[in-house]
Amino acid sequence: MIPFPFLRLQGGYRFIDLKADENDLKGTLKIKGPYAGIQVAS
Amino acid sequence: MRRYPRVVTAAGILLMAGSAFVSSAFALEAGVRGMFWDSTISGDIQTVTDGVPGTILDLQSDLGMKDENVSNGEAFLKAGNFTFRVAYTPLKYTGSSVLSAPIVFDGIQFPPGTTVSSKLETKMVDGDVQWDFINPDLGVASMNLGVFLRLKYVDGSAEISSNNPVLSISATQDFRLPIPEVGFAAGIGFLKNIVRADARFSGMAYSANHIYEGTPSSR
């Protein structure tokens, strides 16, 4: 039997690598790192 | 006469395989997910004012921006082979540094030796529609392979200011970027998904712009 079947813990890694070259703004942005999460689902 | 058992056997196998797909085709699941992201930031930024480019500023070495912990969330609805997701990620990075050389940001010049505070703040909203083209539920194990479309909306601002009482100047550059992405998703679960590993990767590149992002995860 699962005590809390609607509740789940998770972990992972997330990264975003963005390069923008607009008229008035140029840049690169790299955001990355591990994450921990909790999920409630039916 | 011998053909009849073979037909029954083949039909039985097809029904068993089909029921695996049918059961997942009508499965319905909804939920919310909260995440705590230990993020590190790097990159650079440059404004262009009336066609005149400003200084290329490294977020860490020039502006002293620090890594931050980010709380973000996601709501999802899975109906059969389709999954709809809406995610919200607020980001805020700040820094402080003493300029070793003059810089120009948003058309405003900051002289060397100035102590500046900087802030990069963005709110990202992602809307996903995912279609799993393989989604069988095999009892003790399940898996999915799918593709998804994402519309990411980035609304943010970059600000540099000097709070020096002698020289108080501030410059802010706002930006809004709607970004369409195409993604690939895969997952495998065991014991009714008590133990599960997933991965989603998406991206888009056009002209001199690009975005790539991913979230491998397990539970």
Side-chain angles (χ1 to χ4, degrees):
Chain A
M1 179 178 285
I2 306 166
F4 301 103
F6 52 87
L7 194 66
R8 288 169 181 165
L9 302 175
Q10 66 175 181
Y13 194 85
R14 183 181 182 188
F15 70 88
I16 299 174
D17 181 346
L18 173 67
K19 181 183 179 186
D21 189 350
E22 301 297 315
N23 290 332
D24 52 0
L25 183 70
K26 302 175 190 295
T28 62
L29 182 63
K30 292 183 179 179
I31 307 172
K32 59 187 178 183
Y35 73 86
I38 187 167
Q39 173 182 307
V40 180
S42 62
Chain B
M1 291 295 287
R2 285 186 173 272
R3 192 184 290 175
Y4 181 70
R6 289 183 185 172
V7 171
V8 171
T9 304
I13 291 171
L14 280 173
L15 277 172
M16 287 173 64
S19 65
F21 283 84
V22 168
S23 63
S24 58
F26 293 98
L28 194 65
E29 184 183 12
V32 294
R33 187 179 296 145
M35 285 156 284
F36 187 74
W37 188 17
D38 183 19
S39 72
T40 61
I41 185 173
S42 63
D44 56 67
I45 190 168
Q46 178 189 33
T47 57
V48 180
T49 307
D50 298 328
V52 179
T55 309
I56 299 174
L57 299 168
D58 187 278
L59 298 178
Q60 289 182 312
S61 61
D62 292 327
L63 300 178
M65 285 198 177
K66 300 182 185 72
D67 302 332
E68 296 286 350
N69 295 321
V70 177
S71 297
N72 56 109
E74 180 180 289
F76 66 91
L77 172 65
K78 184 175 173 61
N81 290 341
F82 288 91
T83 304
F84 305 89
R85 283 187 295 268
V86 177
Y88 176 68
T89 306
L91 300 167
K92 183 179 179 182
Y93 298 93
T94 59
S96 179
S97 65
V98 179
L99 299 178
S100 57
I103 67 167
V104 175
F105 184 79
D106 198 30
I108 297 175
Q109 183 162 0
F110 293 76
T114 306
T115 300
V116 295
S117 298
S118 56
K119 182 171 68 175
L120 177 65
E121 195 167 14
T122 71
K123 296 176 178 64
M124 295 192 302
V125 178
D126 298 344
D128 294 3
V129 178
Q130 179 175 321
W131 172 60
D132 291 326
F133 53 87
I134 296 177
N135 189 23
D137 185 351
L138 305 173
V140 294
S142 64
M143 64 169 291
N144 72 289
L145 290 174
V147 292
F148 65 90
L149 297 175
R150 168 174 294 171
L151 181 60
K152 176 184 284 292
Y153 186 72
V154 180
D155 183 0
S157 65
E159 178 185 330
I160 298 178
S161 60
S162 167
N163 296 322
N164 188 322
V166 179
L167 181 66
S168 180
I169 49 179
S170 179
T172 303
Q173 176 70 60
D174 297 324
F175 52 90
R176 292 177 183 82
L177 303 170
I179 308 170
E181 296 180 49
V182 178
F184 174 79
I188 185 166
F190 300 96
L191 304 173
K192 295 293 181 184
N193 288 329
I194 295 173
V195 179
R196 185 172 175 85
D198 287 281
R200 297 200 301 261
F201 297 98
S202 61
M204 178 61 69
Y206 60 96
S207 185
N209 303 274
H210 75 234
I211 183 167
Y212 306 114
E213 55 184 315
T215 52
S217 64
S218 65
R219 66 186 184 217

